[in-house]
C-alpha cells in the first residue's frame, strides 16, 4: 500500500478511538470493543429479541483488514 493509504488507515483508526472516548468515556478501544447485546424491545416494552449475543466492533473496517491481508473472503 502507498504511504497515503497507510496514513488514511491511521486516520481512520485514530478517529475510531477518539469517537469511542467521546461516546463512552475513558474506554480503551485500542483493539476494538466487545460486549453483550441488550434485549430489543418495542415501544410497549415487549421483547422482540432477547439479546445475549456477543458483539465485537473492530477499530478498522473489514474492507481495510481485507486489503491488508489480515482477513480473507471465502
Amino acid at each position: 500500500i502507498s504511504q497515503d493509504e497507510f496514513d488514511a488507515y491511521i486516520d481512520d483508526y485514530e478517529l475510531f478511538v477518539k469517537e469511542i472516548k467521546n461516546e463512552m468515556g475513558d474506554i480503551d478501544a485500542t483493539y476494538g470493543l466487545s460486549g453483550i447485546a441488550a434485549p430489543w424491545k418495542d415501544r410497549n416494552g415487549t421483547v422482540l429479541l432477547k439479546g445475549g449475543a456477543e458483539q465485537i466492533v473492530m477499530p478498522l473496517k473489514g474492507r481495510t483488514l481485507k486489503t491488508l491481508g489480515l482477513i480473507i473472503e471465502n
Side-chain angles (χ1 to χ4, degrees), residues 45-64:
T46 303
V47 175
L48 302 174
L49 293 172
K50 66 180 181 175
E54 183 177 5
Q55 295 184 321
I56 299 172
V57 179
M58 300 295 294
L60 296 174
K61 299 172 185 166
R63 171 179 57 237
T64 300

Side-chain angles (χ1 to χ4, degrees), residues 1 7-10 13 16-19 23 25 31 43 45-47 49-50 53 56 58 60 62-63 68 70-71:
I1 63 171
D7 291 342
Y9 294 147
I10 291 172
Y13 172 79
F16 172 84
V17 172
K18 180 181 176 184
E19 287 179 343
E23 296 268 336
Y31 303 107
R43 293 180 184 171
T46 303
V47 175
L49 293 172
K50 66 180 181 175
I56 299 172
M58 300 295 294
L60 296 174
R63 171 179 57 237
L68 295 173
L70 299 171
I71 60 173

Side-chain angles (χ1 to χ4, degrees), residues 14-56:
E14 290 175 347
L15 179 62
F16 172 84
V17 172
K18 180 181 176 184
E19 287 179 343
I20 294 301
K21 285 190 184 286
N22 288 342
E23 296 268 336
M24 303 182 78
D26 192 23
I27 298 288
D28 181 4
T30 301
Y31 303 107
L33 299 173
S34 68
I36 303 299
W40 181 28
K41 301 177 182 179
D42 67 13
R43 293 180 184 171
N44 300 317
T46 303
V47 175
L48 302 174
L49 293 172
K50 66 180 181 175
E54 183 177 5
Q55 295 184 321
I56 299 172

